[in-house]
Amino acid sequence: MRRSWSIGAVLAVLLVAGCGGRPNSGTMPSGASGSGYGGPYDYGPRYATSVPTPAAAASPSAPQALSPAPGTAAPTAIPTVAEGGTVEIAVVNFGFQPAEVTVAAGTTVVWRNVSLTTHTVAAKNRSFESEFVEPGGSYSVTLREPGVYDYECTLHPEMVGRIIVR
């Protein structure tokens, strides 16, 4: 009887000792920074980098990279694209960059997922809706009718953007 009681006591001590680690409380320790991957809401670097291919740089109708370079501020002007052109919107972590664009009717909008997470792109009125856009994938739509197209990621509804077609 004493032997089973002492084994039980040892197991209880080990169990309590194993639970003594620091819990993941969702807060960062003082002095820590949120610039890398890790933590409950740290999704990595704020901006993705993309390097245009030589063919894309030479082609006047190639999608334009509209993401700011790392360490620079986001552009304040809303990009405008001529009729029949193409504009690229980067899906970066949990946001769209740029979040708002103004384009001419007939413009093709390309969303390129440069994050590590699967996303979708859907107009709030469902006039367009993508399937899952995996990391490295893209989705495009040509907007022929003038108007305001508010859109979102249906998997992450806090991700929103707007396209103004004139």
Side-chain angles (χ1 to χ4, degrees), residues 27-80:
T27 60
M28 294 174 32
S30 65
S33 72
S35 61
Y37 291 99
Y41 297 107
D42 188 358
Y43 300 113
R46 183 173 170 100
Y47 298 105
T49 59
S50 63
V51 179
T53 61
S59 171
S61 64
Q64 301 171 357
L66 298 175
S67 303
T72 62
T76 56
I78 298 172
T80 303

Side-chain angles (χ1 to χ4, degrees), residues 1-163:
M1 183 69 153
R2 278 185 177 233
R3 187 171 188 207
S4 62
W5 183 86
S6 56
I7 291 174
V10 168
L11 289 175
V13 168
L14 290 175
L15 180 65
V16 170
C19 294
R22 199 174 92 215
N24 184 359
S25 64
T27 60
M28 294 174 32
S30 65
S33 72
S35 61
Y37 291 99
Y41 297 107
D42 188 358
Y43 300 113
R46 183 173 170 100
Y47 298 105
T49 59
S50 63
V51 179
T53 61
S59 171
S61 64
Q64 301 171 357
L66 298 175
S67 303
T72 62
T76 56
I78 298 172
T80 303
V81 176
E83 183 176 346
T86 303
V87 65
E88 185 171 308
I89 297 174
V91 182
V92 180
N93 296 326
F94 289 86
F96 298 105
Q97 292 179 2
E100 183 175 305
V101 294
T102 301
V103 299
T107 299
T108 298
V109 180
V110 179
W111 287 268
R112 189 163 315 281
N113 186 355
V114 297
S115 72
L116 299 174
T117 305
T118 300
H119 295 286
T120 65
V121 178
K124 290 194 177 181
N125 67 4
R126 297 305 186 250
S127 58
F128 59 85
E129 185 171 8
S130 74
E131 298 292 325
F132 293 129
V133 182
E134 299 295 335
S138 65
Y139 170 72
S140 64
V141 65
T142 300
L143 300 171
R144 295 182 185 0
E145 297 295 321
V148 176
Y149 296 83
D150 290 318
Y151 63 91
E152 65 184 351
C153 171
T154 57
L155 300 174
H156 311 103
E158 70 277 7
M159 294 175 59
V160 295
R162 172 177 282 177
I163 302 168

